[in-house]
Amino acid sequence: MDKQVTQKGLDAYWMPYTSNRQFKADPRMIVGAKGAYYIDDKGREIFDGLSGLWTCGMGHNHPEIAQAVGEQLRELDYAPAFQYGHPKAFELAERLTELTPQGLDKVFYVNSGSEATDTATKIARAYWRVNGQPTKTRIIGRAKGYHGASWGGISFGGIGGNRKLWGQAMEADHLPHTWQAQQAFSRGMPEQGAELADELLELVALHDASNIAAVIVEPMSGSAGVIVPPKGYLKRLREICTQHNILLIFDEVITGFGRTGNYFAAQTFDVVPDMICSAKQITNGCVPMGAVMVKNDIYQAYMDNAGAAHNIELPHGYTYSGHPVACAAALATLDLLEKNQYIAQVAELSGHFERAIHSLKGANHLLDIRNFGFAAGLSIAHRDGDAAIRPFEIAQRLWQQGFYVRYGGDTLQLGLPFCSQTHEIDRLVDAMGEAINSVS
């Protein structure tokens, strides 16, 4: 173990989303990174099979981003976002609106995916209030959906393990998820299942559209184990939301900025929501930041109903919204995404990745493989009533072999770096097959 980490230090840090007792008994320390690889405290190179936490798609430690961050720190380290501005916040907003689907041309800055989804749903509820429809407050999420760890995120999120410990949260309801056993081992988007969107009609009948503010979904679920939408499903959701005057929010914290082979999954699936939540990849993970992209008519409703020009139209924001250093990192990230054609590489190599990952079909305990773009999820059979034990054991064996993947519940998850090469994909998949077959 890194000698700089003392036992007192280990004891002091309460780690997030971590089995603290197990980790502190056998720490896995990362001390460096370059390109698609981490470096552990033993000097080993570890292939980063999840791009950090879906954050570092371009790989790690780009000197251009480091330079942009350093220059910004020397020029302006912090500026208040309330009632004052700095140039890079406006420059970045302009760049983002050039990349989003048509009409999503307003940008609100946050610092994380959790803050992005909270912000979008707050904007949605207040939008109806300023439009004279204050009863439209309910948020509709989806089972197995993940929208962060805030009170809002766990309310309209739909992962039971993130909800049960905390008790009552805010009002919300949930659509069923789209994973179906008969669609196991589908490649890309399942052929069947679009009709599941019609479950929204049942919730409209239950609550009445006059009480529903918004539907929030991940276009492709990530933390639930990469659940890919069936063909036509998202288009049908859009139709129903439009028909019943309900806002549609896409949580693209994982899919935004390249994961599906376009800047946004909304473009990949050809559906335009009313808001897009983003974070993670927006700065290639190097500085916390997020953004909510909003349709102009939503923004304009606030402007038109705020009274005197000096009144604050949206009483919401964060101390670090649009932080100068984060904006500099995001601008450098956008430059690199374009310069190095990383998103085009995702589109080009997605077919190879799909063929490689589906070659694991038939491995021990493997119940399903789901994939899209540079993301994949594998469902592993439970053992002795424990859903998590086999994925945990498989991930630990992979770490020992020099590969980092995510394990959660009964799934293994992959989110490849955009800079991955075919031989690296093949090595990772081969190692996964060996690890899966090796567990009891």
Side-chain angles (χ1 to χ4, degrees):
M1 189 174 68
D2 187 343
K3 293 180 180 179
Q4 294 180 345
V5 180
T6 65
Q7 187 61 50
K8 186 176 181 179
L10 279 173
D11 293 341
Y13 180 23
W14 192 345
M15 300 173 69
Y17 276 114
T18 298
S19 48
N20 279 253
R21 293 161 298 167
Q22 188 280 326
F23 178 91
K24 292 174 183 182
D26 183 20
R28 298 172 293 281
M29 292 291 181
I30 297 168
V31 300
K34 185 175 182 180
Y37 293 84
Y38 281 119
I39 301 168
D40 76 356
D41 56 342
K42 301 174 181 65
R44 300 185 309 140
E45 288 192 339
I46 310 290
F47 183 76
D48 181 3
L50 195 70
S51 303
L53 277 173
W54 310 95
T55 48
C56 310
M58 300 191 307
H60 298 278
N61 288 6
H62 282 270
E64 296 93 331
I65 300 178
Q67 180 179 349
V69 166
E71 290 176 354
Q72 185 60 50
L73 281 169
R74 287 187 289 273
E75 178 181 294
L76 175 65
D77 58 344
Y78 176 79
F82 302 172
Q83 306 285 16
Y84 298 87
H86 65 89
K88 279 190 171 61
F90 299 92
E91 180 185 355
L92 176 59
E94 181 179 359
R95 289 280 297 277
L96 291 173
T97 60
E98 292 169 352
L99 301 174
T100 54
Q102 185 174 3
L104 289 152
D105 52 6
K106 303 297 179 187
V107 178
F108 193 97
Y109 293 121
V110 297
N111 308 291
S112 68
S114 296
E115 290 182 2
T117 58
D118 270 14
T119 294
T121 50
K122 284 180 72 176
I123 288 173
R125 287 180 57 158
Y127 167 74
W128 296 115
R129 185 172 292 272
V130 300
N131 272 335
Q133 300 180 67
T135 63
K136 289 174 72 70
T137 60
R138 187 170 294 273
I139 306 297
I140 306 296
R142 188 166 58 188
K144 293 187 179 292
Y146 181 73
H147 302 293
S150 64
W151 279 113
I154 66 169
S155 300
F156 40 80
I159 296 178
N162 292 336
R163 297 161 57 89
K164 67 179 181 179
L165 192 61
W166 314 111
Q168 184 65 37
M170 63 177 284
E171 63 173 3
D173 211 330
H174 296 80
L175 294 163
H177 61 76
T178 62
W179 184 86
Q180 300 180 89
Q182 63 269 31
Q183 300 293 339
F185 298 99
S186 292
R187 297 190 176 210
M189 298 176 74
E191 293 291 336
Q192 306 299 322
E195 69 280 358
L196 291 169
D198 286 337
E199 294 292 331
L200 179 54
L201 294 172
E202 298 299 321
L203 294 180
V204 170
L206 174 64
H207 299 296
D208 196 82
S210 64
N211 297 310
I212 301 173
V215 171
I216 181 169
V217 296
E218 300 161 279
M220 176 182 72
S221 297
S223 294
V226 185
I227 301 177
V228 183
K231 292 180 179 178
Y233 171 85
L234 293 173
K235 288 181 180 291
R236 180 61 180 144
L237 272 189
R238 174 72 275 182
E239 290 172 359
I240 296 171
C241 286
T242 300
Q243 177 185 355
H244 291 280
N245 211 24
I246 298 168
L247 298 180
L248 178 60
I249 303 168
F250 275 3
D251 178 348
E252 295 221 34
V253 171
I254 282 177
T255 55
F257 302 99
R259 181 64 51 191
T260 65
N262 280 293
Y263 277 97
F264 296 98
Q267 295 154 334
T268 302
F269 299 127
D270 193 25
V271 176
V272 180
D274 298 294
M275 286 182 263
I276 289 177
C277 301
S278 67
K280 294 186 184 288
Q281 184 58 50
I282 193 171
T283 65
N284 202 49
C286 73
V287 180
M289 190 183 202
V292 181
M293 281 69 83
V294 183
K295 280 190 173 178
N296 184 66
D297 58 348
I298 297 175
Y299 170 87
Q300 198 58 48
Y302 283 87
M303 302 302 113
D304 293 343
N305 289 279
H310 63 271
N311 289 348
I312 294 172
E313 301 93 2
L314 178 64
H316 173 72
Y318 303 94
T319 299
Y320 298 111
S321 291
H323 193 285
V325 178
C327 289
L331 286 164
T333 296
L334 295 181
D335 287 343
L336 285 168
L337 282 170
E338 182 177 355
K339 173 185 173 184
N340 293 339
Q341 294 292 292
Y342 283 120
I343 297 176
Q345 181 161 325
V346 172
E348 180 183 347
L349 294 185
S350 290
H352 180 91
F353 177 48
E354 177 176 274
R355 290 187 295 274
I357 198 67
H358 279 274
S359 72
L360 296 178
K361 184 177 180 180
N364 293 341
H365 322 300
L366 186 55
L367 301 179
D368 189 21
I369 300 170
R370 301 168 297 280
N371 74 283
F372 198 91
F374 259 19
L378 293 77
S379 293
I380 309 297
H382 301 190
R383 187 176 74 211
D384 300 327
D386 188 335
I389 185 61
R390 280 190 177 124
F392 167 75
E393 290 177 350
I394 293 165
Q396 300 315 301
R397 295 185 190 211
L398 284 166
W399 177 262
Q400 293 165 9
Q401 295 300 314
F403 300 93
Y404 159 59
V405 303
R406 190 178 188 198
Y407 57 96
D410 61 359
T411 70
L412 296 167
Q413 301 164 28
L414 296 177
L416 297 184
F418 304 165
C419 56
S420 300
Q421 302 299 310
T422 55
H423 72 276
E424 294 170 322
I425 296 171
D426 294 342
R427 284 182 55 243
L428 170 62
V429 171
D430 288 346
M432 291 186 70
E434 293 176 6
I436 292 169
N437 285 319
S438 71
V439 299
S440 60

